Amino acid sequence: MKEESMNIGLIDYDLRNTHSETFTRILRQWGKVKFGYSEVPDGRSWCDQHGIKHLECPEDVVNQCDAIIILAPNQPEKHQSLAHHALKSGKPVFVDKILADLSQEAASMLQTAREFGTPVMSASGLRFAVELDSFKHIETSTIQEFY
């Protein structure tokens, strides 16, 4: 019996970024990245170029997919609004780094996920970046600002 693949949806402020490209390429090995939503108008052409159907709103993506990825790596302040329907869906949700700009937003997002039984995860691979090795010796309590 052939195993069914998972339908995955991307929700982003602007799909024209390396995270959208990379997630789409990698996840096509295990599932179908079938639907996308982008707030910026060029998102439709990005979806067309990648064989993904662009939907009119995040809620439509949530309704059509088995799992949802919230991207917007350059606009984390938009994560809460972009993830709103996904966090209430009960479907697996991955929120690209960082989960939220403010700890209060992150707590609110996680509380919504808990209330609706939605598995949610957020992570970053930056801790493995060799470019940051020189900062590992610094006490985190001494860092005031980092650019």
Side-chain angles (χ1 to χ4, degrees), residues 60-80:
D60 289 346
V61 174
V62 171
N63 291 337
Q64 295 290 325
C65 294
D66 302 313
I68 301 99
I69 298 175
I70 308 298
L71 292 165
N74 300 318
Q75 296 85 16
E77 70 278 3
K78 298 212 174 258
H79 282 177
Q80 188 172 26

Side-chain angles (χ1 to χ4, degrees), residues 108-129:
S108 175
M109 292 169 72
L110 295 175
Q111 180 59 36
T112 299
R114 252 188 243 87
E115 287 174 15
F116 288 88
T118 301
V120 64
M121 177 183 166
S122 183
S124 171
L126 287 178
R127 70 186 192 127
F128 301 107

Side-chain angles (χ1 to χ4, degrees), residues 4 11 19 31 40 49 60 84 91 97-98 135-136:
E4 292 292 317
I11 298 174
H19 290 225
V40 299
Q49 291 169 5
D60 289 346
H84 178 75
K91 299 175 182 181
K97 64 158 180 85
I98 56 177
F135 294 101
K136 288 183 178 178

Side-chain angles (χ1 to χ4, degrees), residues 6 14 19 31-33 38 42-43 46 49 53 55 67 85-87 90 95 102-104 106 113 115 134 145:
M6 181 180 282
D14 184 351
H19 290 225
K32 299 178 199 166
V33 180
S38 179
D42 286 345
W46 186 92
Q49 291 169 5
K53 183 174 182 180
L55 299 177
H85 293 292
L87 294 173
V95 182
L102 304 172
S103 60
Q104 299 91 333
E115 287 174 15
S134 63
E145 292 183 23

